Amino acid sequence: MQTIPSPNSGASPGGREESSLESLRGEIDALDGAILDLLNRRASASLAVGAIKKKRGTPVFRPEREELLMETLLEKNAGPLPNTHLRSIYREILSSSRALQSPLKVAFLGPEGTFSHMAATEFLGNSMDFWAMARFDDIFEAVENNDCELGVIPLENSLHGTIVQSIDLFAAHTVHIRSEWFSRISHSLMSREKTLSDIRTVYSHPQALGQCAEWLRNNLPQAELLSVDSTAAAAHKVLAERNAAAIGHGSLAPRLGLSILARSIEDTSDNWTRFVCIGPDPAPGPASERAKNGEVLKTSVLFTLADRPGALAAVLQCFADAGVNMNKLESRPMHLERWKYSFFCAVSCDLTGETHAPLLETVREHCHSFRILGSYPTGRYMQKGSLA
């Protein structure tokens, strides 16, 4: 690093300040040149890593490795650069590295500007090849058929619970959960109109309408609430309609030339959506071996039961006897099989390791079918972003 020269004692205060400013600018220019050189050296090393991964057939996206790197850097960070800024910078560096190694197609519920899109860029960075899909079904099909390497799916909301369509699609498609994260939700009301009194219709995704229900009752009791496929679709819809408004991500308004009539209209600020990243194949190796920095691990499973009394109780008892904490259990009716159900379950451990092999063997004896959807580190709470 260059040494900043001492101010000339004979110079005027303004001259000393200008001299110091020019010196600092020179130092920043030199540092930027050094950073650019290091970034390109890192990119070259990343390309070499990508070639080895391709030869070995290992996936480019390794979220546990990326999180370990991030946590190591945060521990070393002595400031004054805030950790939040460091995370944002390295999110894009890692996104660029993945794109250099092999351009990854990432499917999300479109169009651009949905909360799924914002959450995807928030977690994966902006260098991915993002593909907007019209329906959740399309995301699962694209991943299962290897048309896209990854898919971003909202799984549940902290206020309104499970997004059941997502759970149902796991039963219909062979895909695997690779990672998870939690995005905070903040909704804005957007319109061509300039005042709330002009609004007669409000469009949005059903989850968004539910999360803003109290605000809507108090501020737009006269408005008709209509559901559409996504928050971005709602914003596009009001472009051509008078006396209408859309609830969605605030960044949509300047993109589309809409006015924001109200911000942060969600009924509670402590409002989060859990997103998962799905892939066509499971991550290689047990999660407990992939996670080296003491993370809390989680496994999601999907199972069906034989139609006999006590079948579910027997499965739950197996987990209890093994000391495995089950933190989510959701039942869903099976497609085309009347009065039969599949169960989506999450446990706080890595079920893919050898330690739990006896447990899985016993559990499978009580199940008609049993599938591990993925084992992965418990996700981070992102400080910006948000839902489908």
Side-chain angles (χ1 to χ4, degrees):
M1 181 183 294
Q2 289 179 270
T3 303
I4 300 174
S6 301
N8 185 337
S9 58
S12 66
R16 289 199 302 271
E17 181 177 312
E18 185 64 28
S19 175
S20 177
L21 178 60
E22 289 305 312
S23 177
L24 288 168
R25 285 173 173 166
E27 180 180 2
I28 288 173
D29 289 344
L31 288 169
D32 285 339
I35 290 170
L36 178 60
D37 179 60
L38 289 171
L39 285 173
N40 279 303
R41 286 170 58 185
R42 190 188 194 285
S44 295
S46 183
L47 284 168
V49 168
I52 295 172
K53 286 181 177 179
K54 185 176 181 180
K55 185 176 180 180
R56 294 181 178 179
T58 55
V60 168
F61 180 51
R62 297 296 298 270
E64 68 287 338
R65 157 69 184 159
E66 293 182 6
E67 187 59 25
L68 174 59
L69 169 63
M70 194 76 79
E71 293 300 326
T72 301
L73 291 169
L74 295 178
E75 288 177 7
K76 292 180 178 179
N77 183 27
L81 183 69
N83 279 347
T84 52
H85 295 184
L86 183 61
R87 273 196 178 275
S88 296
I89 291 167
Y90 261 86
R91 177 192 64 197
E92 296 305 327
I93 290 174
L94 293 172
S95 183
S96 173
S97 292
R98 284 187 237 111
L100 286 170
Q101 290 178 15
S102 179
L104 296 180
K105 294 179 181 178
V106 181
F108 68 93
L109 182 66
E112 289 188 4
T114 61
F115 280 104
S116 282
H117 181 224
M118 300 301 176
T121 57
E122 177 183 57
F123 184 67
L124 294 168
N126 289 282
S127 295
M128 301 294 92
D129 185 7
F130 290 107
W131 284 48
M133 300 290 175
R135 306 173 306 147
F136 286 134
D137 310 55
D138 299 330
I139 300 173
F140 278 82
E141 289 174 9
V143 172
E144 184 177 35
N145 296 333
N146 284 288
D147 295 326
C148 289
E149 286 81 6
L150 299 172
V152 171
I153 298 293
L155 203 58
E156 59 183 321
N157 177 260
S158 59
L159 298 181
H160 286 264
T162 300
I163 299 170
V164 294
Q165 186 180 3
S166 297
I167 299 295
D168 292 344
L169 288 167
F170 275 107
H173 297 277
T174 304
V175 298
H176 303 268
I177 298 176
R178 298 291 309 280
S179 58
E180 70 166 7
W181 70 99
F182 299 85
S183 288
R184 189 178 177 278
I185 296 170
S186 184
H187 292 296
S188 293
L189 186 76
M190 298 163 281
S191 178
R192 293 173 57 190
E193 311 299 342
K194 301 302 180 185
T195 65
L196 287 177
S197 59
D198 293 324
I199 304 304
R200 298 290 177 267
T201 308
V202 177
Y203 296 98
S204 197
H205 186 276
Q207 285 271 335
L209 291 172
Q211 291 162 17
C212 304
E214 184 177 346
W215 189 94
L216 290 167
R217 281 194 300 270
N218 292 336
N219 295 275
L220 291 172
Q222 78 285 358
E224 182 182 11
L225 309 182
L226 297 177
S227 298
V228 293
D229 289 338
S230 71
T231 52
H236 282 275
K237 194 170 182 65
V238 304
L239 283 173
E241 188 172 334
R242 300 309 305 259
N243 304 114
I247 294 174
H249 198 287
S251 66
L252 282 167
R255 288 187 186 189
L256 300 178
L258 296 172
S259 300
I260 295 182
L261 302 184
R263 298 180 186 271
S264 301
I265 65 172
E266 60 275 9
D267 293 337
T268 175
S269 60
D270 190 27
N271 191 5
W272 299 81
T273 290
R274 177 191 175 201
F275 285 88
V276 294
C277 198
I278 60 173
D281 302 303
S288 51
E289 292 181 6
R290 290 184 275 116
K292 302 293 186 182
N293 58 339
E295 295 141 319
V296 177
L297 298 175
K298 183 183 292 185
T299 302
S300 292
V301 301
L302 189 71
F303 62 89
T304 60
L305 297 171
D307 188 13
R308 61 172 181 262
L312 178 58
V315 171
L316 299 182
Q317 192 60 52
C318 288
F319 284 110
D321 291 344
V324 172
N325 179 38
M326 184 179 293
N327 49 39
K328 181 177 180 63
L329 180 64
E330 186 98 12
S331 65
R332 294 294 302 152
M334 293 176 62
H335 184 56
L336 299 180
E337 294 197 48
R338 190 179 302 165
W339 313 125
K340 292 190 177 181
Y341 299 85
S342 60
F343 295 86
F344 182 89
C345 165
V347 298
S348 298
C349 70
D350 172 23
L351 288 180
T352 63
E354 292 184 6
T355 304
H356 293 295
L359 166 63
L360 294 184
E361 184 177 352
T362 305
V363 168
R364 284 190 168 99
E365 292 175 357
H366 296 284
C367 294
H368 183 264
S369 66
F370 183 91
R371 178 157 62 100
I372 292 180
L373 298 177
S375 289
Y376 43 90
T378 298
R380 290 190 294 112
Y381 281 78
M382 316 293 281
Q383 293 306 306
K384 295 180 181 180
S386 307
L387 154 87

